[in-house]
DNA sequence: CACTAAAAAGGACATTTGTCCCACAAAGAA
DNA sequence: TTCTTTGTGGGACAAATGTCCTTTTTAGTG
C-alpha cells in the first residue's frame, strides 16, 4: 500500500554525498502540498523519509489517490520524460525529507550513469506493474474483500492514514468504507 | 482508447532494417494468445500493425482489460526490467504483425543507443500517465459518462471491439454496459 | 439452404454503493 | 474552559450495478 524503493534511495544518498551533482535536500511539514496537478516544474523529488500521497482531483473536487509514497519513491519524473504538465498533486502526510534533482542533473545522470538509468527504468516499470492488478482487483471485488487484502498487506494502515484517504485510495465514499469496516468487525467478533 | 507510439515503431523499423541487431518479425491471426499471465518469456514484442488487448484475469475467470495496444506499443518489456513473471496476458484482436527483440538485443540497445533508451523510457512514462486518470475517472463517474467520453475519444470503438471487451475495459458487466448504451441512444434520439 | 454457436439485447430481481442527513468525539484555537 | 472545526460513525432512502435467465440476432459451417 505504501510503496518504497530502498535501492534507489541508497543510490541517491551516495550521489548526493559525492557532491558532484546538482542534488539537494528539502523538508516539508505534514499536509503540505508539494506539487500541484496541471502545473509545470523543473525538479524531480525522491523521498528520503516520511509518507506522501499522490492524487488526482477532478472538477467536482473528488480526489482519487494513486499511490502512497514512502522512502525511495520519486515524483515529478513523469513530467520530465513527457515534457508536459503534472497529472497528480502530491501532498505530505507525515513530515517529509526529500532529495531534489534539477532537470539538468537528472538528465546528466540518465545519460552518463548506466546504473542510475537502470534504477529509474525499473522504478517506472514497477509503477506500472503495481497499478495494473490493483485497479483490476478494486473493480472486480466488493469493498470488503479489498479491505481484507489491505489489512493483510499493511495491517496498521488505519493508524497512519485517515479514513478519508483510505476511501479515496480504494475509490469509494467514506460512508461505504465505514459500512464495510463494520461488517468486517462484526464477522471477526463472531469468533 | 487504442494506444499507439508511432515514433517508436519508426525507430524500430530502422533498427530492424539495419540488420545489426537480433530483431525479427512475427505474425499472428486474430484471437491468438501471444503471452500468458504468470509466465516467463525472453523476448519483447512491439506491434507493427494490428490491434491487441492486454488483460489480467483472476481466479474466477474475470477479465480486466488494461489497454488496447495499437501500432508501436510494446509488451513483455516490464518483465525484462523486473525479471519477474508476466502480470498480463496479451491476445490479438485483429491480425497482428510484430517486431520481436531478444532480451540480449534489447539490453544491448538500451546500453548503447541513447535515443532508443529515451524512447523506451518515455514509453514507460506514457503508460503510467495514461493509466492514472483513466482509472480515476472510471471510479468516479457512472458508466454512461465513461461511454460518452470514449465515444468522443474514439467514435468507431463499437465497430472494432466486441461489447464484452469494452465492458471488461470499463470494468463493468456486459449487462450494465448494454443498459448504459440504451440510455445514451434514447437520449440522443430525443433530438 | 438449414443448423449451430457465439454475440448482443434485455426483463426481473437482488445487492452494493452513493447521497443526504445528523450525532458524537477528538483536536485546536480563542 | 468554551467554542469551533474536523474526523468519524451510522440511519434511511435512492440510484447504480450485478446476477440470472431468456430471447433475438448475427456469423459461421457443413
Amino acid at each position: 500500500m505504501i510503496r518504497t524503493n530502498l535501492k534507489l534511495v541508497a543510490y541517491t544518498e551516495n550521489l548526493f554525498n559525492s557532491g558532484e551533482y546538482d542534488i539537494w535536500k528539502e523538508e516539508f511539514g505534514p499536509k503540505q502540498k508539494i506539487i500541484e496537478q496541471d502545473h509545470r516544474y523543473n525538479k524531480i523529488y525522491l523521498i528520503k523519509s516520511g509518507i506522501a500521497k499522490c492524487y488526482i482531483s477532478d472538477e467536482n473536487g473528488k480526489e482519487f489517490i494513486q499511490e502512497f509514497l514512502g522512502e525511495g519513491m520519486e515524483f515529478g519524473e513523469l513530467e520530465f520524460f513527457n515534457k508536459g504538465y503534472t497529472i497528480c498533486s502530491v501532498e505530505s502526510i507525515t513530515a517529509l525529507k526529500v532529495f531534489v534533482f534539477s532537470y539538468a542533473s537528472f538528465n546528466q545522470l540518465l545519460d552518463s550513469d548506466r546504473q542510475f538509468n537502470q534504477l529509474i527504468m525499473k522504478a517506472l516499470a514497477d509503477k506500472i506493474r503495481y497499478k495494473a492488478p490493483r485497479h483490476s482487483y478494486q473493480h472486480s471485488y466488493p469493498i470488503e474483500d479489498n479491505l481484507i487484502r489491505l489489512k493483510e498487506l499493511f495491517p496498521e494502515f488505519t493508524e497512519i492514514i485517515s479514513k478519508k484517504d483510505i476511501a479515496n485510495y480504494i475509490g469509494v465514499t467514506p460512508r461505504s468504507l465505514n459500512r464495510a469496516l463494520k461488517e468486517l468487525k462484526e464477522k471477526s467478533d463472531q469468533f
Side-chain angles (χ1 to χ4, degrees), chain A:
Chain A
M1 177 178 201
I2 298 177
R3 313 211 50 228
T4 58
N5 188 340
L6 302 182
K7 277 189 191 169
L8 186 55
V9 78
Y11 199 83
T12 303
E13 188 94 48
N14 286 337
L15 291 173
F16 171 79
N17 288 333
S18 80
E20 289 175 45
Y21 303 94
D22 189 16
I23 302 172
W24 63 96
K25 286 184 184 175
E26 291 187 16
E27 300 198 5
F28 300 92
K31 298 195 185 182
Q32 272 190 269
K33 191 171 272 190
I34 301 168
I35 68 175
E36 187 157 15
Q37 194 175 328
D38 302 319
H39 285 66
R40 271 177 199 283
Y41 297 87
N42 49 11
K43 25 189 193 173
I44 290 156
Y45 297 85
L46 192 140
I47 296 180
K48 182 174 155 61
S49 69
I51 296 169
K53 62 177 174 179
C54 166
Y55 62 95
I56 291 184
S57 41
D58 64 18
E59 323 82 68
N60 311 326
K62 289 189 186 178
E63 281 185 11
F64 190 80
I65 292 184
Q66 299 291 318
E67 282 179 326
F68 292 106
L69 307 172
E71 195 177 339
M73 295 304 289
E74 35 168 11
F75 54 94
E77 89 282 25
L78 297 182
E79 294 69 28
F80 170 85
F81 294 116
N82 297 278
K83 303 174 183 23
Y85 294 95
T86 49
I87 50 167
C88 294
S89 298
V90 174
E91 190 181 313
S92 56
I93 292 179
T94 66
L96 211 63
K97 293 184 184 178
V98 295
F99 291 113
V100 187
F101 297 79
S102 68
Y103 269 21
S105 67
F106 195 74
N107 196 45
Q108 181 195 352
L109 279 160
L110 285 179
D111 262 341
S112 61
D113 184 335
R114 181 66 183 121
Q115 202 178 340
F116 183 77
N117 187 298
Q118 282 175 352
L119 282 169
I120 296 300
M121 195 88 77
K122 185 171 182 314
L124 290 174
D126 280 337
K127 282 196 179 179
I128 301 173
R129 281 178 71 86
Y130 174 80
K131 273 209 167 61
R134 184 194 141 202
H135 287 124
S136 159
Y137 196 89
Q138 285 181 0
H139 257 296
S140 306
Y141 291 94
I143 304 176
E144 251 184 89
D145 296 34
N146 274 292
L147 284 174
I148 294 172
R149 204 145 165 269
L150 266 190
K151 210 151 212 161
E152 280 167 8
L153 231 81
F154 192 70
E156 68 279 30
F157 71 108
T158 35
E159 278 122 62
I160 302 173
I161 297 167
S162 75
K163 286 279 164 66
K164 203 177 143 207
D165 280 350
I166 294 172
N168 285 337
Y169 177 74
I170 303 184
V172 298
T173 59
R175 179 70 193 92
S176 304
L177 174 66
N178 248 339
R179 241 189 313 244
L181 282 170
K182 201 185 164 197
E183 293 283 321
L184 275 184
K185 198 159 166 282
E186 277 165 14
K187 277 180 191 166
S188 70
D189 282 352
Q190 292 175 359
F191 303 101

